[in-house]
């Protein structure tokens, strides 16, 4: 079944392994910064991310496929050196291309749909392709003979995954807040060039083996040598490709499902993404290493193992661990697992408990398939490259299929069930696992879990009591739930609750939850109902805009529950409002369940807000631009930069205003400081507004009053709340806002008396005063915080928003 094992060349493996580790770390840095480099030209949404990730994976697949040929033809350290230098040049191209694009404006002539893959391919494909040529070359250089194929390929894959893991963490947590985006590109290019120089010096000390036998056709034996044909090998190499393709497909489905599960309970942030990706990469890394050891041991002559049966058994085990996620998750939820730990610990532990084991088992598949597919050492580069290429192609298919179809069409739980079923079916094509009693028992449990999961989730319409609808979109888990609230003065009784003495005096409200965040609370029957008070500030600015124009134009970025558009159509008649919401399913839910109606003055647009402002919005056309696109601890960085603010200003009329909604803590937060400092680079007047009363501008002289002031000041500044930042070339006119509010007709129907009250006489017809909500936080109140730590200027090259939110994130739930 193979020639006797040659000792592994440890010194050479250490050097080659370090090259692979550093090259993949650099590749991950480039992948993370690619979205920031392209955001000004294609926005930052699902299509952008999938386009960039898809192009990088395509480059990796092509690089591995073609790199196998290079490895077999040029198995020399000089090949590594040349590829590393080529990777450094490809990295530098990523800094040059956006500059050329901005200078020429060529991207504006391409429609946004095709523009995303075209620009992503031009920017990312060279680096992905060149750096991926290294993997099969490294395996070839580190392989003493075919009997070590599993260990060597598993080690190289493990080190490449570890490089990605370290690159992910170091870039996200340390490099992004320290360097501009172009500087990170230069760091990656320098790392590759430095590795090339070191490889030239060090690896030259261990020259390639001389007088190697000439390459043979796969399956042929060298004359006079022991047979090298693997009796357990696949009869058709395409079978091997199919196995790794489907295993990687399921692995990517698990990764996307993991991100959705974590978002439901812990929100979306830098920490949630890095936690999930880190655990998945760690599982893959361990699996690659262990899988290589397993592959070589079970393929030894006289080992007593059937390698195909071992591979099939591990696929069944991966399926069993995958379906177990559906059992483990409710246990974690109901038991409030890790609830006393910090949020970062919770994210990592949830990800580890649910997904580490299945990813680790899936990681063992590729090294075993390569070991079964490699006929001799002469062809290891080509076979390993092609197997890894097909594995990457499976990851590409898994990314697009899961992101665009499975999660939005089936839901996250059913996506897990589909992945389990695929793994079980693949195992049946690898070996007759039903002939082994243990594997047959495990397979029966897996298939039973799939059947039970289908039965339990089929036709599932609600996840919790009072749930009206639950849908997985390409961006969120969207849930609409109901709750009761006492009737306000003048509210008509809710027909749904009539006749029930327990609900007399109440009305039904609908909550829109995006992942775990309560995003909006809507009164379907009363469009003027506003739950979040910062929207009252927005309404007051709409009223002021209408004083000078009977039909003011307003742009709202972030639709959410569409409470502001519904209220505006009633409270500020004549307002023309364009609403840009990135998730079309959120808009659909608003129309179906949240009382949103078509209106001639209301236009819906489903696209990235930056692309709308930069390319769709007419210059000088809006009296007011309102940005309400925050989602708990996730703030779109490309909507916070100076370049974006400049684009907003071009869309505004000369005396127009920009209202930016943020959620932050004045004492501990850094986002409000950065946002105000950045806006001051574009607009003459920038002020922080609050809907609740902020501390007075001056501290009282009386000791008792001063002590009360200090206590209230400390409580107010430490709390995390919603603020609105006013930015305009026109001074803030609070008196004009208040006058505009006092001049309006009281809002119907909440403040109008019922017909029954009207019959009671003039006393019942008294209309309450319309409250005024906009309050400016005095500069003197903010001054000590800004003196201690001024805000950084956010640009397209430097916008570490997630890092700026880190302190607030760490303090949450602690």
């Amino acid at each position: 079944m193979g020639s006797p094992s040659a000792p592994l060349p440890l010194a050479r493996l250490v050097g080659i392994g370090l090259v692979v580790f550093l090259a993949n770390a650099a590749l991950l840095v480039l992948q993370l910064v690619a979205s920031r480099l392209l955001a000004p030209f294609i926005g930052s949404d699902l299509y952008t991310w999938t386009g960039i990730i898809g192009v990088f994976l395509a480059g990796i697949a092509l690089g591995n496929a073609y790199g196998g040929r290079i490895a077999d033809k040029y198995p020399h350290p000089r090949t590594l050196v040349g590829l590393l230098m080529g990777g450094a040049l490809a990295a530098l191209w990523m800094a040059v291309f956006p500059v050329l694009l901005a200078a020429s404006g060529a991207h504006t002539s391409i429609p946004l749909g095709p523009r995303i893959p075209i620009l992503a391919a031009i920017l990312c494909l060279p680096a992905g392709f060149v750096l991926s040529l290294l993997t099969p070359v490294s395996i070839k250089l580190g392989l003493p003979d075919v009997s070590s194929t599993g260990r060597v390929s598993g080690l190289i894959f493990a080190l490449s995954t570890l490089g990605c893991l370290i690159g992910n963490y170091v870039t996200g947590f340390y490099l992004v807040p320290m360097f501009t985006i172009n500087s990170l590109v230069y760091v990656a290019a320098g790392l590759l060039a430095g590795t090339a120089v070191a490889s030239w010096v060090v690896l030259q000390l261990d020259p390639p083996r001389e007088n190697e036998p000439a390459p043979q056709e796969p399956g042929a034996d060298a004359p006079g040598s022991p047979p090298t044909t693997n009796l357990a090998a696949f009869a058709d190499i395409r079978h091997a490709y199919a196995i790794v393709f489907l295993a990687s497909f399921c692995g990517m489905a698990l990764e996307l499902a993991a991100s959705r599960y974590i978002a439901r309970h812990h929100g979306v942030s830098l920490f949630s993404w890095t936690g999930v990706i880190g655990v998945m990469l760690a599982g893959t890394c361990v699996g690659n290493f262990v899988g290589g050891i397993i592959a070589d041991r079970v393929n030894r002559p006289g080992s007593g193992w059937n390698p195909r049966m071992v591979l099939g058994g591990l696929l069944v085990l991966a399926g069993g661990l995958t379906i177990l996620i559906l059992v483990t998750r409710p246990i974690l939820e109901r038991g409030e697992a890790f609830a006393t730990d910090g949020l970062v610990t919770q994210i990592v532990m949830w990800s580890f408990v649910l997904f580490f084991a299945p990813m680790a088992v899936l990681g063992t598949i590729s090294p075993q398939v390569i070991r079964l597919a490699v006929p001799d050492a002469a062809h290891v580069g080509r076979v390993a490259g092609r197997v890894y290429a097909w594995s990457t192609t499976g990851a590409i298919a898994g990314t697009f299929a899961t992101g665009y179809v499975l999660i939005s069409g089936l839901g996250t739980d059913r996506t897990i069930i589909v992945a389990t079923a695929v793994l079980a079916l693949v195992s049946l094509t690898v070996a007759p696992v039903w002939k082994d009693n243990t594997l047959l028992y495990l397979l029966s449990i897996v298939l039973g879990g799939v059947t039970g999961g289908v039965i339990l989730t089929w036709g599932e319409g609600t996840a919790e009591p009072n749930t009206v609808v639950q849908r997985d979109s390409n961006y969120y888990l969207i849930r609409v739930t109901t709750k009761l609230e006492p009737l306000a003065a003048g509210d008509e009784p809710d027909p749904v609750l009539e006749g029930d003495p327990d609900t007399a005096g109440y009305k039904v409200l609908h909550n829109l939850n995006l992942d775990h965040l309560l995003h909006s609370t809507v009164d379907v029957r009363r469009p003027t109902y506003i739950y979040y008070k910062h929207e009252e500030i927005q309404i007051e600015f709409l009223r002021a805009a209408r004083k000078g124009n009977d039909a003011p134009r307003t742009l709202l970025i972030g639709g959410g529950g569409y409470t502001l558009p519904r209220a505006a159509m009633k409270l500020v008649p004549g307002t023309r409002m364009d609403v840009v919401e990135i998730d079309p399913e959120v808009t659909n839910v608003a129309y179906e369940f949240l009382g949103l109606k078509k209106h001639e003055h209301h236009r819906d647009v489903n696209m990235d807000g930056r692309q709308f402002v930069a390319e769709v919005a007419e210059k000088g056309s809006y009296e007011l631009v309102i940005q309400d696109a925050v989602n708990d601890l996730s703030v779109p960085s490309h909507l916070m930069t100076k370049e974006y603010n400049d684009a907003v200003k071009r869309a505004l009329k000369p005396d127009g205003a920009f209202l930016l909604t943020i959620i932050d803590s004045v004492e501990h937060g850094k986002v409000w400081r950065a946002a105000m400092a950045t806006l001051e680079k574009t607009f003459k007047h920038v002020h922080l507004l609050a809907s609740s009363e902020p501390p007075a501008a001056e501290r009282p002289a009386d000791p008792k009053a001063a002590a009360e002031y200090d206590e209230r000041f400390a409580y107010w500044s430490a709390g995390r709340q919603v603020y609105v930042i006013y930015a305009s070339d026109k001074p803030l006119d609070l008196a004009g806002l208040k006058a505009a509010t006092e001049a309006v007709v009281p809002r119907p129907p909440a403040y109008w008396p019922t017909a029954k009250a009207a019959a009671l006489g003039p006393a019942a017809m008294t209309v309450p005063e319309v409250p005024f909500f906009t309050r400016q936080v005095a500069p003197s109140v903010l001054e000590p915080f800004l003196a201690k730590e001024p805000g950084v200027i956010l640009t397209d090259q430097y916008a570490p928003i997630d890092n700026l939110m880190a302190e607030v994130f760490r303090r949450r739930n602690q």
Side-chain angles (χ1 to χ4, degrees):
M1 191 174 292
S3 58
S5 242
L8 288 176
L10 295 180
R12 192 191 323 158
L13 272 177
V14 169
I16 293 171
L18 185 59
V19 168
V20 171
F21 172 85
L22 294 175
N24 279 274
L27 180 62
L28 212 288
V29 172
L30 296 175
Q31 183 173 325
L32 289 177
V33 303
S35 63
R36 299 285 183 95
L37 290 169
L38 286 180
F41 312 106
I42 60 177
S44 181
D45 59 9
L46 174 73
Y47 303 100
T48 303
W49 274 102
T50 51
I52 290 173
I53 293 173
V55 166
F56 265 109
L57 290 176
I60 292 171
L62 293 172
N64 279 280
Y66 190 71
R69 297 182 181 182
I70 295 177
D72 288 341
K73 193 171 182 180
Y74 306 105
H76 195 283
R78 285 193 297 267
T79 306
L80 283 182
V81 174
L83 294 177
L84 286 166
M85 291 304 297
L89 292 175
L92 291 176
W93 166 248
M94 293 183 66
V96 172
F97 178 63
V99 176
L100 298 176
L101 207 57
S104 66
H107 62 285
T108 58
S109 62
I110 308 173
L112 186 59
R115 184 195 310 170
I116 292 174
I118 290 173
L119 296 190
I122 296 174
L123 180 78
C124 307
L125 191 59
F129 174 75
V130 174
L131 291 176
S132 298
L133 295 169
L134 287 161
T135 302
V137 174
S138 300
I139 293 175
K140 177 75 172 186
L141 289 174
L143 187 67
D145 61 36
V146 71
S147 65
S148 303
T149 303
R151 281 174 291 169
V152 172
S153 61
L155 178 62
I156 295 299
F157 288 158
L159 288 172
S160 68
T161 305
L162 184 61
C164 291
L165 174 62
I166 299 301
N168 175 63
Y169 279 116
V170 170
T171 303
F173 288 120
Y174 299 104
L175 298 183
V176 168
M178 292 172 62
F179 300 103
T180 64
I181 298 302
N182 276 353
S183 296
L184 291 178
V185 175
Y186 301 145
V187 166
L191 179 63
L192 293 168
T195 305
V197 173
S199 300
W200 177 263
V201 174
V202 176
L203 293 181
Q204 287 298 307
L205 300 178
D206 183 21
R209 299 181 297 276
E210 301 292 340
N211 302 320
E212 290 186 339
Q216 309 165 62
E217 290 303 313
D221 297 328
S225 66
T228 58
T229 302
N230 193 335
L231 299 179
F234 301 103
D236 188 338
I237 192 66
R238 290 175 294 185
H239 190 186
Y241 299 156
I243 292 170
V244 293
F245 176 93
L246 292 171
S248 292
F249 181 101
C250 294
M252 187 54 67
L254 283 180
E255 183 170 329
L256 292 179
S259 67
R260 304 309 293 274
Y261 278 147
I262 298 302
R264 292 183 186 183
H265 302 283
H266 305 294
V268 178
S269 67
L270 170 73
F271 294 91
S272 60
W273 273 109
T274 50
V276 169
I277 293 173
V279 168
M280 306 304 269
L281 289 176
T284 303
C285 178
V286 171
N288 289 159
F289 183 77
V290 173
I293 296 174
I294 293 173
D296 285 345
R297 287 189 176 179
V298 301
N299 279 277
R300 286 177 181 171
S303 67
W305 292 94
N306 182 336
R308 295 278 290 274
M309 191 68 81
V310 171
L311 178 59
L314 286 170
L315 285 165
V316 175
L317 178 60
L321 293 170
T322 299
I323 200 67
L324 189 62
I325 294 170
L326 299 184
V327 178
T328 308
R329 182 178 59 82
I331 295 174
L332 293 179
E333 291 174 344
R334 291 167 187 165
E336 297 185 351
F338 316 111
T340 58
D341 297 316
L343 203 54
V344 175
T345 303
Q346 291 183 47
I347 290 170
V348 172
M349 293 306 298
W350 270 66
S351 303
F352 183 86
V353 171
L354 291 174
F355 295 98
F356 180 84
M359 286 302 295
V361 176
L362 284 174
T364 68
I365 303 302
S366 289
Q368 293 182 79
V369 171
I370 291 175
R371 180 65 180 85
L372 288 171
V374 171
D376 53 54
H379 293 87
V380 67
R382 185 174 305 179
V383 173
R386 289 178 179 176
V387 169
Y388 197 50
W390 278 101
S391 173
T392 307
T393 305
I396 297 172
T399 299
F400 284 95
T402 306
Y404 287 121
V405 179
L406 293 179
I407 288 180
S408 58
L410 299 178
T412 309
D413 288 346
R414 295 188 192 121
T415 298
I416 296 290
I417 294 171
V418 168
T420 303
V422 169
L423 292 172
L425 293 175
V426 172
S427 73
L428 298 177
T429 72
V430 172
V433 293
W434 57 88
K435 293 184 178 180
D436 183 284
N437 289 336
T438 301
L439 293 182
L440 177 61
Y441 182 70
L442 179 58
L443 180 63
S444 300
I445 294 176
V446 172
L447 295 178
V450 170
T451 304
V454 170
I455 293 172
L456 291 174
T457 61
W458 187 262
E460 180 183 2
T462 61
E464 298 176 2
N466 304 321
T467 299
V468 177
V469 66
Q470 177 170 304
R471 293 179 183 174
D472 273 296
S473 74
N474 289 331
Y475 296 89
Y476 309 105
L477 171 67
I478 304 171
R479 288 187 302 117
V480 176
T481 59
T482 59
K483 70 173 184 178
L484 299 182
E485 182 177 277
L487 291 168
D491 284 346
E492 294 282 357
D494 199 319
V496 176
L497 303 177
E498 285 185 353
D500 186 348
D502 294 332
T503 58
Y506 287 86
K507 58 185 175 184
V508 178
L509 298 180
H510 288 68
N511 288 333
L512 173 67
N513 300 274
L514 302 181
D515 290 329
H516 86 309
L517 174 70
L518 174 60
H519 197 280
S520 305
T521 297
V522 177
D523 188 332
V524 174
R525 298 177 63 237
R526 302 168 181 85
T528 56
Y529 178 86
I530 294 177
Y531 179 77
Y532 285 117
K533 300 309 177 188
H534 73 278
E535 291 183 306
E536 299 278 10
I537 296 176
Q538 297 163 357
I539 288 289
E540 288 167 0
F541 274 92
L542 281 174
R543 291 195 182 107
R546 191 172 180 271
K547 284 186 66 177
N549 186 344
D550 290 338
R553 288 197 66 187
T554 301
L555 172 60
L556 172 63
I557 300 173
Y562 283 78
T563 52
L564 181 64
R566 292 179 68 226
M569 296 304 110
K570 290 288 186 180
L571 298 177
V572 194
T575 298
R576 294 173 295 162
M577 183 174 289
D578 295 332
V579 183
V580 180
E581 167 58 48
I582 196 170
D583 190 348
E585 197 57 42
V586 169
T587 303
N588 293 338
V589 167
Y591 276 107
E592 294 177 36
F593 303 100
L594 301 180
L596 183 63
K597 306 294 183 185
K598 294 290 184 181
H599 194 285
E600 60 178 340
H601 291 163
H602 171 199
R603 177 172 66 138
D604 296 312
V605 182
N606 294 122
M607 66 184 300
D608 179 82
R610 176 150 184 172
Q611 293 313 115
F612 183 90
V613 170
E615 300 181 30
V616 179
E618 300 175 23
K619 294 182 179 179
S621 59
Y622 294 103
E623 276 86 2
L624 196 61
V625 173
I626 301 171
Q627 183 168 305
D628 201 349
V630 293
N631 181 30
D632 191 28
L633 290 164
S634 176
V635 179
S637 61
H638 67 302
L639 300 184
M640 300 287 290
T641 66
K642 180 185 182 302
E643 292 86 348
Y644 171 72
N645 295 340
D646 291 343
V648 170
K649 184 174 181 177
R650 288 192 293 270
L652 285 168
K653 292 184 176 180
D655 59 349
F658 178 34
L659 302 181
L660 172 63
T661 303
I662 60 169
I663 308 174
D664 209 0
S665 163
V666 167
E667 179 179 358
H668 305 296
K670 300 179 181 180
V671 173
W672 71 270
R673 308 169 201 247
M676 293 186 69
T678 305
L679 284 165
E680 287 170 353
K681 295 294 182 180
T682 301
F683 297 96
K684 295 178 181 178
H685 303 280
V686 178
H687 301 285
L688 187 68
L689 308 178
S691 57
S692 59
E693 192 67 46
E698 296 183 3
R699 185 172 182 266
D702 178 70
K704 182 178 180 181
E708 293 177 354
Y709 176 90
D710 291 341
E711 182 179 356
R712 183 175 179 276
F713 189 97
Y715 177 81
W716 171 84
S717 62
R720 186 167 180 259
Q721 52 190 296
V722 182
Y723 293 98
V724 174
I725 300 178
Y726 169 88
S728 176
D729 285 344
K730 179 182 178 180
L732 175 64
D733 182 9
L734 288 178
L737 280 176
K738 192 170 188 349
T741 297
E742 292 172 345
V744 300
V745 176
R747 62 180 66 179
Y751 292 154
W752 281 11
T754 63
K756 184 182 296 184
L760 298 177
M765 295 292 291
T766 302
V767 178
E769 179 185 356
V770 178
F772 183 66
F773 290 90
T774 304
R775 295 167 176 84
Q776 179 186 353
V777 181
S780 60
V781 172
L782 301 177
E783 189 174 309
F785 301 103
L786 293 174
K788 182 179 179 181
E789 185 174 2
V792 300
I793 307 301
L794 304 175
T795 67
D796 286 343
Q797 277 290 313
Y798 184 76
I801 290 293
D802 291 315
N803 306 84
L804 294 177
M805 300 191 70
E807 183 60 28
V808 172
F809 186 96
R810 291 190 184 99
R811 289 176 177 274
R812 189 170 129 180
N813 291 354
Q814 295 204 10

